[in-house]
């Protein structure tokens, strides 16, 4: 910094003000300092800055299952929003949301002087862990449905499921079967609740719940099972699937079994993965806005850092209608 000050012909304090974005610097002086920074290749010492300011301008993120589309996109959304706010994101990826693992990850972040910690993992274990954790920095939950535990922002999982079921019932289907995600997932459970509530509200029968694991293979197995049930005379004309990957596997199996989508069975997914418009047929699905989720998550962090009161926040889901759904055959 002293070298930059000498090159620009200004004081050490002026360079500090430019580096930290202080508004009270003349435009010509700021330009001269920035030119000197570029010429000398100067980079601020973040550790030293943290000692002086008490802020590392870093947010810690604890997450699991980033090999799945939703968690991966949430991570990207948080990173982009943090960068836009002038923060960097440090990530800890866990194998599970057990208390000891969560505590160790948060403790490591606190030791690194992060300004806040965001936890993103939709498991019941993680919610229980949040009840016990009490770090000396703000702790925010994203997409966990843990409103009663920590400040949180989510996408409306129940609302999204109800959109899917209402769409299918509106097409004349007597009821809607549901292939759910794994039992450990809060997101899966909330979609189940939305599916069931919408059927009950419409006075429609509630079929036996089908169980999957988020992956196409479980969708494929379920598709074969439903095809057999249809051959046995069971009334299966519409399926709401817990995510798009399982929906893909289910539609492939139905096709292999000689059934038409949507002529014989209408299918709705959840997430709106980039490939969804190119499925055969293009998949009707519930879109989650992960970029908006990340933006609001970082806004929640900044509000906590500023000492402002916060309320649970929810990003609304959107139904995207494509070719995999149609009227029930008469």
């Amino acid at each position: 910094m002293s070298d930059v000050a000498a090159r620009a012909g200004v004081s050490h304090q002026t360079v500090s003000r430019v580096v930290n974005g202080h508004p009270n610097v003349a435009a010509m002086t700021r330009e001269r300092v920035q030119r000197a920074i570029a010429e000398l290749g100067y980079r601020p010492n973040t550790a030293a800055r943290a000692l002086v300011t008490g802020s590392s301008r870093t947010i810690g993120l604890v997450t699991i299952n980033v090999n799945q589309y939703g968690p991966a996109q949430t991570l990207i959304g948080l990173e982009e929003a943090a960068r836009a706010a002038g923060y960097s994101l440090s990530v800890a990826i866990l194998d599970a949301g057990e208390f000891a693992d969560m505590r160790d990850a948060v403790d490591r972040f606190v030791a690194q002087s992060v300004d806040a910690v965001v936890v993103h993992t939709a498991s019941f274990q993680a919610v229980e862990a949040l009840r016990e954790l009490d770090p000396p920095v703000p702790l925010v939950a994203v997409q966990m449905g843990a409103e009663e535990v920590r400040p949180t922002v989510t996408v409306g999982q129940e609302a999204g499921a109800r959109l899917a079921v209402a769409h299918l019932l509106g097409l004349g289907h007597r009821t809607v079967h549901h292939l759910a995600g794994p039992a450990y997932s809060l997101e899966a459970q909330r979609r189940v609740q939305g599916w069931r509530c919408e059927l009950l509200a419409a006075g429609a029968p509630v079929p036996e719940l089908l169980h999957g694991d988020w992956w196409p293979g479980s969708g494929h197995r379920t598709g074969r099972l439903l095809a057999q049930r249809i051959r046995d005379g069971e009334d299966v004309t519409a399926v709401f699937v817990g995510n798009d990957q399982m929906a893909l596997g289910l539609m492939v199996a139905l096709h292999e079994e000689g059934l038409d989508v949507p002529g014989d069975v209408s299918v709705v997914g959840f997430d709106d993965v980039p490939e969804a418009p190119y499925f055969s047929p293009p998949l009707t699905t519930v879109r989650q806005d992960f970029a908006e989720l990340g933006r609001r998550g970082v806004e929640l962090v900044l509000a906590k850092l500023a000492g402002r009161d916060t309320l649970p926040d929810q990003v609304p889901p959107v139904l995207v209608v494509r070719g995999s759904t149609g009227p029930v055959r008469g």
Side-chain angles (χ1 to χ4, degrees):
M1 189 176 285
S2 298
D3 292 340
V4 171
R7 174 70 66 93
V10 299
S11 68
H12 181 279
Q13 290 80 5
T14 298
V15 175
S16 178
R17 284 195 291 270
V18 171
V19 168
N20 290 292
H22 198 285
N24 295 333
V25 179
M28 290 184 62
T29 301
R30 185 183 304 277
E31 182 181 344
R32 198 161 66 246
V33 170
Q34 290 172 338
R35 186 165 57 249
I37 287 172
E39 291 171 353
L40 294 172
Y42 167 73
R43 297 293 182 271
N45 185 318
T46 54
R49 178 188 289 181
L51 288 173
V52 173
T53 65
S55 170
S56 65
R57 306 293 294 181
T58 302
I59 299 170
L61 172 65
V62 182
T63 186
I64 64 172
N65 288 338
V66 292
N67 54 340
Q68 287 284 342
Y69 176 75
Q73 291 303 304
T74 303
L75 188 158
I76 292 170
L78 285 164
E79 195 282 328
E80 290 177 346
R83 184 158 26 92
Y87 285 77
S88 60
L89 196 69
S90 183
V91 182
I93 301 174
L94 307 183
D95 293 329
E98 296 181 359
F99 173 72
D101 295 333
M102 295 272 289
R103 181 196 57 206
D104 290 347
V106 171
D107 286 348
R108 285 198 302 272
F109 281 139
V110 171
Q112 295 168 18
S113 300
V114 299
D115 291 1
V117 175
V118 173
V119 176
H120 169 251
T121 165
S123 72
F124 289 98
Q125 287 178 317
V127 171
E128 291 305 313
L130 281 182
R131 298 181 192 277
E132 304 296 328
L133 294 172
D134 187 26
V137 297
L139 182 60
V140 169
V142 170
Q143 196 70 321
M144 290 185 64
E147 295 91 341
E148 73 283 3
V149 181
R150 296 286 177 182
T152 185
V153 56
T154 64
V155 175
Q157 305 297 311
E158 290 183 41
R162 297 192 72 153
L163 285 173
V165 174
H167 169 66
L168 291 165
L169 294 177
L171 291 170
H173 297 276
R174 185 180 69 89
T175 189
V176 178
H177 289 69
H178 180 41
L179 172 56
Y184 66 78
S185 169
L186 273 169
E187 291 176 329
Q189 291 303 306
R190 296 214 164 180
R191 292 170 200 175
V192 170
Q193 291 168 9
W195 162 74
R196 183 175 288 114
C197 287
E198 189 64 24
L199 288 177
L200 292 172
V206 180
E208 175 191 358
L209 184 65
L210 304 162
H211 299 279
D213 59 9
W214 294 140
W215 294 103
S218 64
H220 191 268
R221 290 189 295 273
T222 302
R224 289 190 175 276
L225 171 67
L226 291 178
Q228 183 59 52
R229 290 184 180 181
I230 292 171
R231 284 193 292 268
D232 291 341
E234 187 172 334
D235 184 20
V236 179
T237 66
V239 185
F240 163 48
V241 186
N243 75 343
D244 291 349
Q245 290 174 303
M246 292 193 298
L248 172 61
L250 184 135
M251 289 199 301
V252 169
L254 292 177
H255 175 74
E256 290 171 350
E257 295 289 335
L259 294 169
D260 179 65
V261 177
D264 296 307
V265 182
S266 286
V267 178
V268 178
F270 206 105
D271 281 341
D272 195 25
V273 298
E275 298 84 6
Y278 306 101
F279 287 5
S280 181
L283 182 65
T284 295
T285 186
V286 177
R287 176 180 296 157
Q288 300 194 78
D289 190 339
F290 295 107
E292 179 65 11
L293 182 68
R295 188 185 68 79
R296 294 195 193 184
V298 171
E299 281 186 353
L300 193 58
V301 168
L302 298 179
K304 294 299 295 181
L305 289 172
R308 299 195 300 270
D309 292 334
T310 60
L311 294 172
D313 193 10
Q314 193 168 95
V315 178
V318 177
L319 179 70
V320 182
V321 178
R322 298 192 180 100
S324 66
T325 54
V328 65
R329 282 182 174 173

